[in-house]
Amino acid sequence: VVPAAAAAAGAAGGGGGGIESNTSTAASSIFGSAGRFGSRYLWIGPKGSMTGLHNDDEDNVLCQIKGTKIVKLFPPHTRPYLYPNDKYDSGTECCDYDAFTDWKNTERHREMFEQKFILARKAGAALRFKLQEGDMLFIPKFWYHQVLTASAYSISVNQFSSTTTEFISCGIQREILSMLHQLGLYGTKSCVCHGSKQKNTKAATALSM
């Protein structure tokens, strides 16, 4: 059984209450009373908007409100083959490997893959999900994932959730490091928010899967 699957959900509307209450209802139906700690984010972007490949240290539910997103997932045991880096992002491990690039597309891509990402072959094919309006995807903690907006624009909400035990083991340290980072005392030399030089792959290349 794959522990991440898209399912039709009422997170995008219907039944009243708006995005906030519908997302809370969707998250509560999955996490239950055990998910006492968490945070929620709203994501809005045009076609081609893309995250880097990364994991999170909390369970996560992604609810698609408008538009279409493509999500690629790799299980935690593939970590050695995804080229994790030391770039700081709160609660996240970032990777250099790009799951959306068609590495067989051109000779240049093939050479780059052979030189920089040859181990990625051992990771196998990613699990691929297409999220449309009203769809919801559960992403377990520490699963690597990369997300691409495939429609003209996309609006989505995600909900992170941790149990009390998980918050004690990971969350407290995460919050302390985040505070130190905001004060400029930790991780500012290599992070996703202070002038990162990492570039997103162009949408045209990313979509040629």
Side-chain angles (χ1 to χ4, degrees), residues 49-186:
S49 298
M50 183 168 60
T51 71
L53 183 63
H54 67 285
N55 74 10
D56 298 295
D57 63 6
E58 295 182 278
D59 288 332
N60 177 17
V61 172
L62 177 61
C63 302
Q64 190 64 23
I65 309 301
K66 292 289 184 181
T68 302
K69 279 187 171 178
I70 306 297
V71 183
K72 290 193 174 185
L73 286 167
F74 293 92
H77 73 264
T78 61
R79 179 185 186 275
Y81 316 124
L82 301 178
Y83 296 84
N85 59 48
D86 60 358
K87 187 167 292 186
Y88 174 76
D89 189 7
S90 181
T92 295
E93 181 174 54
C94 301
C95 298
D96 290 331
Y97 181 65
D98 186 341
F100 280 101
T101 295
D102 181 358
W103 295 104
K104 299 179 181 179
N105 187 40
T106 66
E107 183 64 28
R108 183 177 65 86
H109 282 89
R110 290 191 291 270
E111 290 178 357
M112 185 181 296
F113 181 85
E114 294 291 333
Q115 293 171 6
K116 294 186 176 182
F117 302 117
I118 190 64
L119 292 178
R121 288 177 175 170
K122 296 184 178 181
L127 298 175
R128 184 182 184 276
F129 298 92
K130 183 177 182 180
L131 300 186
Q132 296 178 308
E133 182 174 334
D135 286 344
M136 178 175 66
L137 180 68
F138 171 60
I139 305 174
K141 61 182 179 180
F142 302 129
W143 275 64
Y144 292 89
H145 52 285
Q146 190 168 0
V147 185
L148 171 71
T149 295
S151 54
Y153 71 96
S154 168
I155 302 174
S156 55
V157 174
N158 82 293
Q159 170 79 44
F160 290 113
S161 185
S162 294
T163 64
T164 301
T165 301
E166 290 169 337
F167 183 77
I168 292 173
S169 63
C170 295
I172 292 176
Q173 179 182 10
R174 179 176 63 248
E175 296 302 320
I176 292 174
L177 292 180
S178 179
M179 179 180 65
L180 293 175
H181 182 71
Q182 292 177 33
L183 293 173
L185 301 176
Y186 179 83

